[in-house]
Amino acid sequence: MLAGLAAGMGLLVVLPTQATDPPPASRASLPFQTILELERTARLLAILLDSGRAVVNDNQTLLDDPAKGDKGFTSDVFERQLIDMFRGRSGVDLREVETGTLSPRSRRLLKELVAVSKQVVEDAQANLNRSGAGYKGFIPAVFGERVAARFTAKTGVRLKQTALVPRNPANRPDAYEQVALEAFADAAYPREQVISEIAAAGAALRLMFPLYATRHCLDCHGQPKGERDRTGYPREGLVLGQNAGAISVVLPVVP
């Protein structure tokens, strides 16, 4: 593979060089500025999805509190926390997105992802506000899976959570994702550096955004390895900050 950094974006562009790839001219027909714009859009979508996961993660103790009925974690409360989280991580304020430098397509997709994320939280309200119930199954991975499925169905832009050994068989990595995940798993790999490529025939951009284990993640995915967590799955034995998979984005070149 041939790898290089996209200027100013911290993106690792990985272009395949196998004999089955399209000739270089087919890739050259896509302007470099267009590639950068596609990469930025894909990366922001991944950050926004992961920001939503992080908001759920930060509120997990509240959501699973059996002593509280109404948690006050409405879709509007979630949206405010999501926008703040995303701004801190990306530098993009979704409240001012119309006056920024994002492309029209990027603005549209980000707005749609916010709307879908809010709807997933809204649909979960009856479950979240059950009194007398502790663990309710609404965790970052479940939130991300629901959001990704709805967003993909609505927009044709595929979002997917994946890992080398995923708990959900539907999240099993394909060949491209497998290679990226193996790179992310290397302790020497630069933290939060994405991997991207223009797929065969230039039809889509693929991007892999690495995820890392947080303190709350370790409640289910930490030590001791093999012991059953509260969901019934064996723990993976992760440690704080270790790579915990990735968000995979497939963004068609043509809107």
Side-chain angles (χ1 to χ4, degrees):
M1 289 188 176
L2 177 66
L5 284 176
M9 297 189 67
L11 300 179
L12 182 63
V13 184
V14 181
L15 299 178
T17 56
Q18 289 86 348
T20 55
D21 287 343
S26 68
R27 291 198 293 264
S29 63
L30 198 61
F32 185 61
Q33 189 59 42
T34 299
I35 295 175
L36 291 182
E37 183 178 296
L38 289 167
E39 286 177 332
R40 186 186 189 194
T41 299
R43 184 171 185 272
L44 288 174
L45 289 172
I47 293 173
L48 185 55
L49 178 60
D50 191 41
S51 294
R53 288 162 40 98
V55 170
V56 173
N57 189 55
D58 287 349
N59 287 276
Q60 199 70 67
T61 300
L62 168 66
L63 300 180
D64 291 340
D65 185 351
K68 292 182 69 70
D70 186 352
K71 306 298 190 298
F73 188 70
T74 65
S75 59
D76 288 336
V77 169
F78 164 81
E79 181 183 25
R80 289 195 293 272
Q81 294 183 22
L82 174 65
I83 289 174
D84 288 343
M85 177 78 70
F86 181 70
R87 183 180 63 232
R89 296 182 63 182
S90 70
V92 175
D93 190 339
L94 294 175
R95 299 183 183 92
E96 302 174 357
V97 70
E98 294 297 339
T99 60
T101 61
L102 296 179
S103 68
R105 185 186 189 191
S106 185
R107 293 197 297 268
R108 174 175 59 82
L109 290 174
L110 289 171
K111 287 180 179 179
E112 185 63 45
L113 187 51
V114 170
V116 170
S117 300
K118 284 187 65 179
Q119 190 59 55
V120 166
V121 173
E122 182 64 34
D123 291 347
Q125 288 298 299
N127 178 39
L128 297 179
N129 292 325
R130 283 186 296 137
S131 60
Y135 174 67
K136 301 175 181 66
F138 194 77
I139 57 178
V142 170
F143 165 85
E145 182 178 344
R146 293 176 184 176
V147 171
R150 294 189 189 188
F151 181 79
T152 299
K154 279 179 170 286
T155 67
V157 177
R158 196 191 76 177
L159 295 182
K160 173 187 173 185
Q161 300 171 140
T162 187
L164 287 173
V165 185
R167 291 187 172 189
N168 184 347
N171 294 334
R172 185 177 296 111
D174 61 23
Y176 172 74
E177 294 164 343
Q178 179 80 19
V179 171
L181 287 166
E182 289 173 353
F184 294 154
D186 186 340
Y189 188 84
R191 190 176 177 87
E192 295 189 359
Q193 182 166 276
V194 304
I195 293 176
S196 67
E197 74 169 28
I198 296 296
L205 178 131
R206 300 203 65 175
L207 182 139
M208 291 285 285
F209 182 87
L211 303 173
Y212 301 93
T214 67
R215 180 176 59 81
H216 283 302
C217 292
L218 299 182
D219 291 343
C220 292
H221 300 279
Q223 302 284 351
K225 184 176 182 179
E227 181 179 287
R228 298 281 174 175
D229 66 14
R230 59 181 175 173
T231 71
Y233 284 94
R235 299 174 185 271
E236 289 85 354
L238 297 181
V239 297
L240 187 66
Q242 183 177 348
N243 178 253
I247 292 174
S248 176
V249 184
V250 180
L251 177 65
V253 170
V254 178

